[in-house]
Amino acid sequence: MADSRTATKPKPQRRTGVREAAAQATRDSILKSATKVFARYGYDGGSVEKISKAAKSYDRMIYYYFGSKEGLFIAVLEGIYKRMDDAEAAIALDASRPVEALTEVIRFVLGYYRKNPEFVTLLNTENLHKGRHISKSLRAREYSSRAVAIIAEILASGAAQGLFRKGLIARDIYLLIASTGYFYTSNRHTLTAFLGEPLESPEAITHWEDFVIETVLRTVRADEAQDNNNIPPHDEVKMTPIAHVRSRPPKGAQASLGAARREA
């Protein structure tokens, strides 16, 4: 005899994660749009209204996810640092071959600045504000310490093999590499006009990259230190005191000086 009782229908399961995925998508869209808006208009010109419009969202969603415009800008800065950090971590570096590894790091940094102009523009904006936003970040130091640690490992390997000088500070080499890439990229337009040379041409870019690689390797190589009598670049170079340097003034200045002495 068949069971006449009505079978209990299973309750429909909630699609767990759907709402979270939608929320993350909204947050990512706002962050992506904010990156473009801040890069174009700067922090002061990058209004909440412009960002929400670009993200096809609402102002209140920005405040919901990021708390404030400043909170959003800090998240943007953290995002660009994280993307560079992730890209650098993806490089296959072999620290046992320190010269090649350091060369790859240099090529990566210079290439990353060149291929990601928004990164440089946003850092320029934050520097105009004296770093007051990024200083509030809890993650920025994490990304920088990792980049310096990579160089430290390479320098240690090079020193152990007798290829690099001992006592090099990884932070100094990091700053040397970063500054040569950052300055060239951030000032490429004005320097092109000032120098009268197209600094964005493939030939100019290749030349600068080769020059930076040579400069950094000369700084760290042990044989370079020996050629320079083992004088580290940070040591003070003894120079003749200025008071002891006598230079001959121009002829006009000599005549004026003589007349002044006669009048005295």
Side-chain angles (χ1 to χ4, degrees):
M1 181 176 177
D3 189 353
S4 60
R5 291 178 298 177
T6 304
T8 303
K9 294 183 179 180
K11 294 182 179 179
Q13 295 181 350
R14 295 182 59 185
R15 299 176 62 186
T16 58
V18 174
R19 182 175 298 179
E20 290 80 359
Q24 186 62 45
T26 299
R27 188 182 186 280
D28 291 344
S29 177
I30 292 173
L31 199 56
K32 183 177 180 180
S33 298
T35 301
K36 294 181 179 180
V37 171
F38 282 134
R40 181 175 180 180
Y41 298 101
Y43 178 75
D44 295 326
S47 65
V48 170
E49 292 77 11
K50 288 177 182 176
I51 296 170
S52 61
K53 182 178 180 180
K56 297 180 180 180
S57 185
Y58 303 95
D59 295 359
R60 67 175 183 272
M61 301 307 294
I62 292 177
Y63 294 109
Y64 176 78
Y65 288 112
F66 301 97
S68 64
K69 174 182 169 180
E70 182 183 42
L72 175 57
F73 187 60
I74 292 173
V76 166
L77 294 175
E78 290 177 343
I80 62 173
Y81 275 121
K82 183 180 184 303
R83 285 191 289 276
M84 182 176 184
D85 183 69
D86 291 343
E88 188 171 17
I91 305 175
L93 296 174
D94 183 1
S96 66
R97 303 180 65 186
V99 174
E100 291 80 359
L102 188 57
T103 298
E104 284 301 310
V105 170
I106 297 169
R107 292 190 189 281
F108 165 78
V109 173
L110 270 61
Y112 192 89
Y113 287 157
R114 188 173 63 251
K115 297 172 185 176
N116 296 273
E118 287 183 349
F119 180 86
V120 175
T121 301
L122 287 165
L123 292 187
N124 285 342
T125 296
E126 179 59 359
N127 277 296
L128 288 174
H129 291 272
K130 302 184 184 299
R132 66 183 177 91
H133 304 106
I134 195 63
S135 63
K136 299 176 183 179
S137 169
L138 301 176
R139 299 178 180 176
R141 186 69 60 83
E142 171 188 341
Y143 302 136
S144 65
S145 61
R146 190 176 303 171
V148 174
I150 291 174
I151 295 178
E153 182 182 0
I154 295 172
L155 294 179
S157 175
Q161 297 180 46
L163 298 174
F164 293 168
R165 294 191 292 112
K166 296 181 179 180
L168 290 167
I169 300 175
R171 181 206 60 195
D172 293 343
I173 305 305
Y174 169 79
L175 288 174
L176 176 59
I177 298 170
S179 62
T180 54
Y182 185 90
F183 180 84
Y184 191 96
T185 303
S186 65
N187 295 277
R188 64 194 184 281
H189 301 301
T190 52
L191 286 174
T192 291
F194 181 74
L195 298 174
E197 300 177 18
L199 296 187
E200 289 191 283
S201 69
E203 296 79 12
I205 291 173
T206 299
H207 170 79
W208 181 247
E209 185 177 89
D210 291 342
F211 176 77
V212 173
I213 291 172
E214 180 183 5
T215 300
V216 175
L217 291 181
R218 281 180 175 273
T219 300
V220 303
R221 283 171 55 177
D223 54 354
E224 291 292 334
Q226 294 174 359
D227 292 341
N228 289 282
N229 298 320
N230 294 318
I231 300 177
H234 294 328
D235 281 6
E236 293 184 2
V237 179
K238 294 182 179 180
M239 301 179 64
T240 305
I242 295 177
H244 294 168
V245 178
R246 295 173 179 254
S247 59
R248 184 179 296 277
K251 293 182 178 180
Q254 287 181 340
S256 299
L257 181 60
R261 286 175 177 172
R262 287 194 296 272
E263 291 177 1

